[in-house]
Amino acid sequence: MTVLNTRERRKKILDWLRQRGQVQVRAMAQQFSVSEMTIRRDLEHLAREGHLVRTYGGAALAGGLIPELPYAAKAAEHTEEKRRIARCAASLVQEGDVILLDAGSTTAEIARCLKGRSGITVVTCDLKIAMELCDEQGIRVLVTGGTAMPQVYNLLGPIAEQTLRALTVNLAFVGTSAADVEYGLTTPTLEKVPLKQAIIRAGQRSVLVADASKFSRRSTFQICELSAFSMIISDRSLPQHVADAIRKGGVPLELV
């Protein structure tokens, strides 16, 4: 890979930001074959110029609102953290349970952890999750129906919402791109609001599964407060003050 000078590298970082809405220090350091400290200096410089805002472990476009990201972009980030979260979430599922898996890369990891299990029914609004599990002999897969969202593979709209409103499940696992102690769960896509609200209501227990990078971030449309969840599972890099605030709000928090 050609080594870029500082100006070129910062331009590439901004290009990456405009495409994905966010960057992580570790990923940028690997991308440009430089130290994480160098990337932090780049981000601080770009923040002073007003191009971006710093977030935990990285940066987002100025304005701070998280955009909708393609599945491929989400799946490539924080993979080990998502696997640990998924293993913890899957351990909650018992034989005979009916569970609901929201769309997303973390819930897709939960689906992979369920492979080989038996006596489980999985309801999902995610086409990738349905494909992941449809050949598992011990798992019955129900798909909500609805309108497919390109590059995200989420099923949205009145058909999906009607299906979800008619359900009660043992566990509902919910993913997110933006969670904040004060503002709760938010999304850049208006059509996801009633869908996710229906998922949360369907669960006798609703569990938020989100790695630490998703916290202290906001998007345009509010879904619910964090207190709507029976449990939150995140990873050990979640800042202590965020963990303390979640627990103070009365929601059990598991860090893996």
Side-chain angles (χ1 to χ4, degrees):
M1 176 179 174
T2 303
V3 177
L4 303 177
N5 63 37
T6 300
R7 183 175 179 179
E8 291 171 333
R9 187 177 61 250
R10 289 172 180 173
K11 181 179 182 300
K12 290 286 187 181
I13 290 172
L14 286 176
D15 289 343
W16 190 282
L17 257 176
R18 293 185 186 105
Q19 293 170 12
R20 301 196 176 201
Q22 62 172 323
V23 294
Q24 294 296 315
V25 170
R26 183 185 305 172
M28 290 292 93
Q30 294 173 348
Q31 176 74 18
F32 298 116
S33 300
V34 297
S35 70
E36 293 187 11
M37 182 59 70
T38 296
I39 296 298
R40 289 190 186 95
R41 285 196 293 265
D42 289 340
L43 297 182
E44 291 295 343
H45 175 84
L46 293 169
R48 288 195 297 270
E49 291 189 341
H51 296 295
L52 55 80
V53 291
R54 293 301 309 276
T55 62
Y56 178 74
L61 285 173
L65 295 180
I66 304 302
E68 190 71 66
L69 298 176
Y71 178 89
K74 294 185 286 189
E77 297 179 336
H78 308 286
T79 54
E80 182 51 41
E81 291 88 344
K82 290 174 182 176
R83 290 186 187 114
R84 295 200 305 267
I85 291 167
R87 287 193 292 268
C88 180
S91 72
L92 302 175
V93 180
Q94 305 296 316
E95 185 173 349
D97 278 352
V98 179
I99 71 167
L100 220 171
L101 291 179
D102 186 15
S105 56
T106 305
T107 48
E109 287 292 344
I110 298 174
R112 294 182 188 106
C113 289
L114 294 174
K115 286 186 170 184
R117 303 273 295 271
S118 61
I120 298 169
T121 298
V122 174
V123 185
T124 188
C125 55
D126 186 300
L127 292 173
K128 278 189 169 290
I129 289 174
M131 290 296 293
E132 190 79 43
L133 294 177
C134 67
D135 290 328
E136 289 294 308
Q137 293 185 356
I139 299 177
R140 184 186 186 203
V141 179
L142 303 179
V143 183
T144 61
T147 303
M149 191 174 180
Q151 299 186 63
V152 180
Y153 314 113
N154 200 159
L155 295 169
L156 302 171
I159 294 173
E161 293 163 26
Q162 182 178 356
T163 300
L164 291 167
R165 284 195 294 267
L167 293 176
T168 299
V169 301
N170 299 98
L171 286 158
F173 294 102
V174 181
T176 187
S177 58
D180 185 88
V181 171
E182 183 177 355
Y183 290 91
L185 219 63
T186 53
T187 176
T189 304
L190 179 60
E191 292 83 358
K192 282 189 176 183
V193 174
L195 185 87
K196 285 186 180 279
Q197 288 173 341
I199 291 172
I200 294 165
R201 284 194 296 266
Q204 292 180 327
R205 296 175 66 197
S206 57
V207 181
L208 176 64
V209 288
D211 66 78
S213 73
K214 306 303 191 301
F215 286 86
S216 301
R217 300 168 66 184
R218 280 183 271 165
S219 198
T220 308
F221 304 104
Q222 187 182 49
I223 297 165
C224 65
E225 301 292 339
L226 295 187
S227 58
F229 293 98
S230 307
M231 181 182 185
I232 295 173
I233 306 175
S234 188
D235 65 84
R236 292 186 295 270
S237 60
L238 188 71
Q240 188 62 49
H241 72 278
V242 176
D244 290 344
I246 290 171
R247 290 181 173 124
K248 185 177 180 181
V251 182
L253 173 65
E254 185 74 25
L255 299 180
V256 295

